[in-house]
Amino acid sequence: MDPKTFIKKFTKSIQEGNAAVFAGAGTSVEAGFVNWKELVRPFSQEVKLDIEKETDLIGLTQYYINSKSGNRGGVNQEIVNQFSSQEAETRVINLLTRLPISTYWTTNYDKVIEKGLQINNRRGDIKRKIDDLAISMPDSDAVVYKMHGDVDSPQNAVISKDDYERYSDKNALFVTALRGDLVSKTFLFVGFSFEDPNLESILGKVNILLGDNKREHYCIQKQVSEEDYVGESEEYQYAKIKQNLKIKDLQRYGIETVLVGEYNEIPTLIEKIENEDRKSVV
């Protein structure tokens, strides 16, 4: 989708009170947090697998837990070690939490969204576990759904094959809430690779139920660049083909892709949304 069209459409959703944000791991990298691959790298080393050859990181984490006779203490400790900072922030999240949006979803364990709301003098109602869904924070400005858990409760974090297989039963209310928001709100997905099985399953169910009557959603992705594959023309062509196929596939779920040349263009894009919103208000 053309960025100018996206800016106008998403700004309209904000002004109508229907906008939501889904923040993936990519939004926390600037804060110094590891991505999923680096998080599970120590586990791969212990089970003697090469992380560079593995694509099933959920399964890899399960192998590690299996090697400890089902004890996930090492996984819990690694989550705490990597995501405990209460002060970490990123420009992208600070901008997104400055927008007049009242619904944020994330699969991240860190506190970057909470910090962004705090910086912008907004009070967040944080939903870290099922019990939180039954309680409403008075005078809150935004609800933050941490559907895969939080660093403060690493034992409940969704990270292994067991966790994903049990998710629809243990966290059924999160599934219901996200389905409802996908039906009634317009989402902006940022820093998300769309490789998460839970989200893919939920998007699939909404797609089946609504067919061609889905809401339009948006995601921002970095365009595959030849500069990232210097001397590897075949790999570049492969990555380009795969990205185009993925963009087309996301349209099945009503998700239109906005491409940027570099990651540092994302904050500028969000600032343009903010400016468009202010201009319309004036």
Side-chain angles (χ1 to χ4, degrees):
M1 175 174 282
D2 174 70
K4 290 183 179 179
T5 303
F6 156 66
I7 289 167
K8 287 187 178 298
K9 285 192 167 186
F10 193 64
T11 300
K12 184 179 179 182
S13 295
I14 291 174
Q15 293 168 344
E16 292 174 348
N18 298 323
V21 167
F22 201 118
T27 59
S28 293
V29 172
E30 183 190 339
F33 293 126
V34 296
N35 59 25
W36 197 354
K37 181 178 178 180
E38 293 306 314
L39 176 63
V40 304
R41 184 180 291 275
F43 310 150
S44 71
Q45 293 170 345
E46 284 215 33
V47 297
K48 296 180 172 57
L49 289 178
D50 185 349
I51 190 67
E52 303 303 332
K53 296 180 181 179
E54 297 299 318
T55 56
D56 182 9
L57 302 182
I58 299 168
L60 193 155
T61 305
Q62 188 64 53
Y63 297 155
Y64 171 77
I65 294 173
N66 294 347
S67 74
K68 303 296 181 181
S69 302
N71 185 342
R72 61 174 280 164
V75 173
N76 299 343
Q77 187 61 55
E78 191 65 22
I79 290 173
V80 172
N81 292 346
Q82 296 295 344
F83 299 105
S84 285
S85 173
Q86 304 287 320
E87 300 303 318
E89 58 181 281
T90 71
R91 187 181 175 202
V92 168
I93 291 297
N94 287 352
L95 287 169
L96 287 170
T97 50
R98 194 163 76 192
L99 292 171
I101 293 174
S102 60
T103 303
Y104 297 86
W105 282 83
T106 186
T107 50
N108 300 346
Y109 312 128
D110 58 63
K111 306 282 189 181
V112 174
I113 295 180
E114 294 94 313
K115 183 64 177 179
L117 289 170
Q118 179 186 339
I119 288 172
N120 290 303
N121 297 312
R122 303 180 70 201
R123 188 175 189 184
D125 185 358
I126 317 300
K127 309 299 186 184
R128 301 178 179 88
K129 55 187 184 300
I130 288 295
D131 292 348
D132 296 336
L133 297 176
I135 303 171
S136 297
M137 179 75 69
D139 302 320
S140 63
D141 300 296
V143 181
V144 181
Y145 296 93
K146 306 188 77 169
M147 64 180 288
H148 281 179
D150 181 85
V151 64
D152 289 345
S153 302
Q155 70 277 8
N156 297 320
V158 177
I159 190 171
S160 69
K161 189 176 289 187
D162 273 345
D163 299 328
Y164 276 89
E165 289 173 351
R166 297 167 182 166
Y167 191 85
S168 60
D169 293 326
K170 290 183 63 177
N171 298 282
L173 291 181
F174 270 112
V175 174
T176 301
L178 181 53
R179 283 184 189 173
D181 279 350
L182 285 166
V183 170
S184 62
K185 299 180 184 296
T186 297
F187 271 78
L188 171 59
F189 294 87
V190 185
F192 209 83
S193 64
F194 293 97
E195 301 295 334
D196 186 88
N198 281 339
L199 182 60
E200 188 173 13
S201 173
I202 293 167
L203 286 170
K205 293 290 174 55
V206 172
N207 183 39
I208 292 170
L209 291 171
L210 296 182
D212 295 332
N213 301 308
K214 299 177 289 294
R215 292 184 74 90
E216 188 171 75
H217 306 292
Y218 311 101
C219 74
I220 303 174
Q221 292 187 9
K222 179 184 177 298
Q223 188 166 18
V224 170
S225 170
E226 196 166 4
E227 295 177 357
D228 298 330
Y229 296 87
V230 178
E232 301 177 338
S233 59
E234 289 187 9
E235 286 80 358
Y236 163 65
Q237 292 297 333
Y238 185 88
K240 188 175 180 181
I241 290 170
K242 187 171 182 180
Q243 183 174 59
N244 288 335
L245 290 170
K246 187 68 175 179
I247 288 170
K248 187 68 176 176
D249 190 58
L250 288 174
Q251 290 176 335
R252 292 192 301 122
Y253 306 124
I255 301 173
E256 296 291 339
T257 302
V258 181
L259 292 174
V260 296
E262 299 293 341
Y263 288 116
N264 59 18
E265 295 176 25
I266 296 177
T268 303
L269 197 58
I270 298 169
E271 285 178 334
K272 288 180 179 178
I273 294 171
E274 185 176 43
N275 292 337
E276 182 73 15
D277 179 53
R278 288 174 176 173
K279 183 173 64 177
S280 301
V281 171
V282 173

